[in-house]
Amino acid sequence: MTAKGILNLDIQKGKIDRNVYGHFSEHLGRCIYEGLWVGEDSPIPNTNGIRNDVVEALKQIRVPVLRWPGGCFADEYHWKDGIGSREKRKRMINTHWGGVVENNHFGTHEFMELCRQIGCEPYINGNVGSGTVQEMAEWVEYLTFEGVSPMAELRAENGREEPWKVTYFGVGNENWGCGGNMRPEYYADLYRRYQTYVRNYGGNRIERIACGANSDDYRWTEVLMREAGRFMDALTLHYYTLPRDSWQDKGDATGFDEAEWFSTLRKSLRMDELITRHSAIMDQYDPDARVALIVDEWGTWYNVEPGTNPGFLYQQNTIRDALVASLTFHIFHEHNRRVRMANIAQTVNVLQAVVLTEGDKALLTPTYHVFDMYKVHQDAERLDLQLTSGSYRFGEEEIPAVSGTATRDQEGNVHISLCHLDPHASAETTLSLRGLQDGGSWSGLVLAGDSIDAHNTFEHPERLRPEAFDGFKRQGEELVVTLPPMSVVTLKLSAPAQA
């Protein structure tokens, strides 16, 4: 297996917005409760009720932005139920996710404290499906108004004098489905109305985010851009990768065969087609790309782990998921003009999680390690990389075996990330380095599996982790990299060697 490419170090293709490495946390299963929030009285080490081990893990990968409270939960969430004394907060049944009791102990103040501890920006999703314009307007006032107002006074009564900074506010979620089963024309009018009252107070400036399409619903994008494009700062897109073509039997997270390994990777590549076609529609109404495309739900979705609540969406995470993440980030990079945020679903214990918890234990998944290896690309300049790969074939189908991306960071370091999908053989990848000056040094990291469902467990939490990589060599103006089977590699060329 071989791949060849040209890396033009003197051709820049725009910035990779750090927010494409964003995350999503919903009141779903054990994401919030047990995963992020344990309460001040928990024996699990915590700070203000938020578990320390998970916060430290998320700080390590420089989480830039965190979306909350949903998801489908957002359009049945009434924010006033989650403020004030926790003992007096309303209890409810989480009808979307598992039919469990939601005690609202994790609400606005707790979420903003979580963001403070992580050092990330909040992305709040408002309730259009079952909420009112007044409710949404008052939430924005409660969060961001400084001065004399009913909501500012209520915030102060609840222990917070100063307003928070909130940049990202979603006006509804999946309003074509769980958020109200709306037609695009109806939602476009509702969006225009609701966003009017998502006001900027003082120096706070909010980017208003409209609910976009499910997967390949291009008509939704057409109607939203035509009828409401001038009122939005961003439009969303949701796409999940399923090994099989059935939502009732999606395929398992472990114990799968090569057919499902291949189909998962092939389907993850569909993200490029979706972004390309939705962006083309957006370009008709917004040729300057003022409106961002935000992929605020993406990732793999499998059958839940045996013996767990079906509504909790708890699944294991393998080297296959790491490759899906790598491929997806490469696609986001290629579309950096339009894609300026993405939020993997979900941060802890749900779907393609980066952290899994069990009591006081926490483990880092292979997907986490890709986020860690790729954090060097946040806010870096994309470099022109032209890569041609041999094929990974299975049955009558084939996909490129090697994918890559390259950036230069603010210190002048160049980072090249590559992934190799073939589980059987290594791949020799040769890159011609144009615009390269002498000097500098090379180093690398690799994440590789020894089986197609290799994963970390609480008994063996470090079976998969990045290791130092030396499988590369300079040959004149070329860099030759030998990629192990089913692997992700990031190489660093330290600054002063760039043109």
Side-chain angles (χ1 to χ4, degrees), residues 58-369:
L58 300 180
K59 287 170 63 177
Q60 167 66 24
I61 58 174
R62 301 178 194 163
V63 170
V65 61
L66 183 62
R67 179 178 179 238
W68 172 85
C72 291
F73 185 81
D75 277 283
E76 67 175 14
Y77 181 67
H78 302 283
W79 68 271
K80 288 184 180 179
D81 294 344
I83 60 173
S85 171
R86 293 195 196 103
E87 293 70 27
K88 297 180 181 179
R89 295 183 189 179
K90 291 182 181 179
R91 291 158 62 86
M92 59 180 280
I93 298 296
N94 190 332
T95 56
H96 280 294
W97 305 120
V100 296
V101 173
E102 164 66 57
N103 62 18
N104 280 304
H105 282 193
F106 189 91
T108 299
H109 289 254
E110 291 78 14
F111 174 67
M112 298 303 286
E113 169 63 11
L114 171 64
C115 291
R116 185 196 69 79
Q117 290 188 27
I118 296 172
C120 69
E121 289 210 62
Y123 166 12
I124 288 177
N125 225 126
N127 182 346
V128 170
S130 68
T132 66
V133 170
Q134 180 178 352
E135 181 180 17
M136 187 175 290
E138 288 183 340
W139 201 4
V140 174
E141 180 185 330
Y142 186 90
L143 285 160
T144 65
F145 188 82
E146 182 177 19
V148 178
S149 81
M151 293 302 104
E153 291 177 2
L154 180 59
R155 185 185 67 231
E157 290 174 12
N158 290 327
R160 174 80 184 192
E161 291 281 349
E162 296 298 315
W164 290 285
K165 178 180 179 292
V166 176
T167 303
Y168 307 107
F169 197 96
V171 182
N173 165 78
E174 293 193 356
N175 300 101
W176 37 260
C178 63
N181 290 305
M182 301 175 190
R183 298 178 303 116
E185 293 84 356
Y186 180 71
Y187 172 72
D189 285 342
L190 272 188
Y191 173 80
R192 288 169 59 133
R193 179 187 176 206
Y194 275 67
Q195 66 81 33
T196 303
Y197 300 93
V198 179
R199 293 193 173 102
N200 293 322
Y201 293 113
N204 191 75
R205 291 294 175 267
I206 291 177
E207 293 190 16
R208 295 161 182 82
I209 300 168
C211 167
N214 177 26
S215 187
D216 58 359
D217 185 353
Y218 301 113
R219 182 173 179 273
W220 185 280
T221 298
E222 170 78 28
V223 172
L224 262 292
M225 289 301 297
R226 184 185 70 222
E227 301 297 337
R230 65 187 182 277
F231 298 104
M232 67 179 73
D233 297 292
L235 185 66
T236 66
L237 171 64
H238 291 180
Y239 175 64
Y240 287 97
T241 301
L242 281 63
R244 301 175 188 166
D245 295 322
S246 169
W247 281 94
Q248 287 68 46
D249 184 12
K250 306 172 193 70
D252 295 331
T254 60
F256 50 86
D257 58 17
E258 189 176 354
E260 290 195 359
W261 163 275
F262 183 90
S263 67
T264 304
L265 298 174
R266 176 179 57 80
K267 290 181 178 182
S268 71
L269 291 170
R270 189 174 178 230
M271 182 70 80
D272 182 60
E273 174 192 340
L274 295 173
I275 293 175
T276 298
R277 295 184 64 179
H278 284 291
S279 295
I281 296 168
M282 296 175 75
D283 285 346
Q284 296 177 34
Y285 299 92
D286 177 37
D288 296 327
R290 181 190 64 81
V291 179
L293 181 61
I294 293 179
V295 189
D296 63 3
E297 291 188 29
W298 68 272
T300 54
W301 195 326
Y302 309 126
N303 298 331
V304 301
E305 293 302 304
T308 64
N309 187 324
F312 281 13
L313 306 188
Y314 179 78
Q315 63 188 42
Q316 250 298 352
N317 192 289
T318 71
I319 188 66
R320 176 177 63 168
D321 299 283
L323 290 170
V324 169
S326 176
L327 288 170
T328 303
F329 285 134
H330 296 174
I331 293 168
F332 291 159
H333 287 193
E334 288 296 310
H335 292 276
N336 60 312
R337 174 178 176 269
R338 182 69 75 175
V339 178
R340 300 198 286 274
M341 188 194 294
N343 308 81
I344 193 169
Q346 293 185 10
T347 313
V348 188
N349 290 331
V350 173
L351 299 177
Q352 194 175 346
V354 296
V355 180
L356 301 179
T357 67
E358 189 175 277
D360 63 352
K361 298 178 181 179
L363 69 79
L364 310 178
T365 69
T367 296
Y368 176 94
H369 293 310

Side-chain angles (χ1 to χ4, degrees), residues 27-47:
H27 288 243
L28 195 172
R30 297 189 298 114
C31 182
I32 298 294
Y33 301 104
E34 297 185 41
L36 292 165
W37 173 262
V38 293
E40 293 94 337
D41 297 332
S42 173
I44 298 173
N46 68 86
T47 301

